[in-house]
Amino acid sequence: MRNLFEFLSKYYHWLLFVILEAASVSLLFSYNNYQSSVWFSSANAVSGKVYEWSSAVSSYFELANINEDLTKRNTSLELQLASAKKTIARLTEDSTAVLAQIPDGYKSIQAKVVHSSTDKPDNLITIDKGSADGIRKDMGVVSGDGVVGIVYLVGTHYSVVIPVLNSQSNISCTIRRRGFFGYLRWPGKESGYAFVEDVPRHAHYAKGDIIETSGYSSVFPKGITVGKVICTFNSADGMSYRIKVRLATDFTNLRDVCVIDNAPMQEQLDILRAAQDSIATRQN
């Protein structure tokens, strides 16, 4: 306290000068319009510059957050673009791949699946084409990956298909490039697998071999993919093999299909039957 008094007593004239100077300046700007306007303008200019510097500094330190937000937005947009490209490519490939399954010389009718099931013993598929579009009973149905099933019921604008995933399905198949035959049947439960039954015990094949349609019916032409060999079991009577097959068609994600016009196959079978009947008549 003593030091404070000594300081004030020593420098009181300077303190008094500062106080009087501040009072005079205050009076000057308070009661003179010109000086007041000059002060106001100068103060605004200074404060504006200070605010500008403050804003620039704040913006600089916010750049990291802004860049992070922009990166997130760009990443999200890139993912959306990639997803859209994949969807367009998949839809294009689906249509092209479906048509690629149909051999030359056969007509086909493109259709879309409007309803299907995979969790029942006797699953059914409904497609958006019917008799008005040329669909007939017992036509074969394929996807871009392989066999789907056989047309069972036909309406004017819709049809019901018995797919491979049905206990009533029975499709003649062969092992590609090996020439051994059997019948594709679905035992239920797993939607991605079926069995080729009645394969001869002398048949030679390996895991990964392609199973395809044999062409020995009026439903499917020869060579349409069914699936791949996974493993082999003995039949119940031990007289043949049961081949477990991973189905080529993904029935849980089936959208686009083609219905095969079986007129050429039916014509070939009719000619074959006529020839056989003629030979049998001559022999008798």
Side-chain angles (χ1 to χ4, degrees):
M1 183 64 78
R2 180 179 178 183
N3 292 334
L4 177 61
F5 286 137
E6 288 181 355
F7 176 81
L8 292 176
S9 63
K10 186 176 181 179
Y11 297 103
Y12 75 92
H13 52 282
W14 288 107
L15 293 174
L16 180 61
F17 172 76
V18 170
I19 293 171
L20 292 174
E21 192 70 25
S24 62
V25 169
S26 176
L27 292 173
L28 176 65
F29 288 110
S30 296
Y31 294 98
N32 293 276
N33 293 331
Y34 175 74
Q35 284 82 0
S36 178
S37 63
V38 170
W39 165 256
F40 184 76
S41 299
S42 300
N44 277 347
V46 172
S47 61
K49 201 65 177 178
V50 170
Y51 289 144
E52 183 181 346
W53 290 342
S54 175
S55 177
V57 171
S58 299
S59 298
Y60 177 79
F61 286 109
E62 286 292 325
L63 285 178
N65 294 332
I66 293 173
N67 286 335
E68 183 178 356
D69 183 60
L70 287 174
T71 300
K72 289 180 179 179
R73 289 174 180 267
N74 286 338
T75 302
S76 176
L77 290 173
E78 288 289 344
L79 291 174
Q80 292 178 29
L81 179 60
S83 176
K85 286 181 177 179
K86 286 181 180 179
T87 300
I88 293 171
R90 185 177 66 249
L91 292 174
T92 304
E93 289 171 1
D94 282 348
S95 178
T96 304
V98 168
L99 293 175
Q101 284 285 340
I102 310 300
D104 293 337
Y106 289 91
K107 296 179 181 179
S108 63
I109 303 167
Q110 289 183 267
K112 289 190 177 295
V113 173
V114 296
H115 181 268
S116 65
S117 62
T118 59
D119 57 349
K120 300 177 176 61
D122 294 311
N123 296 290
L124 296 172
I125 294 174
T126 303
I127 59 175
D128 65 348
K129 295 295 171 63
S131 59
D133 306 289
I135 305 295
R136 299 188 303 275
K137 190 175 186 290
D138 295 329
M139 280 184 166
V141 182
V142 301
S143 71
D145 298 313
V147 169
V148 172
I150 301 171
V151 175
Y152 175 58
L153 294 174
V154 180
T156 305
H157 300 292
Y158 295 93
S159 299
V160 175
V161 177
I162 291 181
V164 171
L165 307 185
N166 188 299
S167 65
Q168 304 302 313
S169 177
N170 189 20
I171 298 172
S172 177
C173 298
T174 184
I175 305 170
R176 182 175 292 175
R177 290 189 293 272
R178 296 187 185 271
F180 300 103
F181 303 95
Y183 294 91
L184 185 72
R185 297 187 179 95
W186 185 62
K189 296 181 181 179
E190 296 180 296
S191 64
Y193 299 90
F195 285 88
V196 177
E197 309 276 3
D198 303 328
V199 178
R201 293 191 69 83
H202 63 272
H204 299 288
Y205 52 89
K207 181 179 180 180
D209 279 356
I210 302 298
I211 303 296
E212 61 186 15
T213 54
S214 66
Y216 287 176
S217 73
S218 62
V219 179
F220 293 103
K222 178 179 172 58
I224 296 180
T225 305
V226 173
K228 289 183 178 181
V229 174
I230 300 300
C231 56
T232 305
F233 302 91
N234 285 319
S235 63
D237 58 9
M239 301 299 291
S240 60
Y241 287 134
R242 299 177 71 229
I243 300 177
K244 187 173 184 179
V245 177
R246 178 183 287 115
L247 296 173
T249 299
D250 182 4
F251 286 91
T252 62
N253 192 32
L254 191 61
R255 295 181 303 275
D256 296 284
V257 296
C258 266
V259 182
I260 303 172
D261 187 346
N262 58 1
M265 290 180 284
Q266 188 63 55
E267 182 180 356
Q268 292 175 16
L269 290 175
D270 290 343
I271 293 172
L272 180 60
R273 290 192 189 100
Q276 291 173 341
D277 291 342
S278 177
I279 293 172
T281 302
R282 288 178 181 179
Q283 289 176 347
N284 293 333

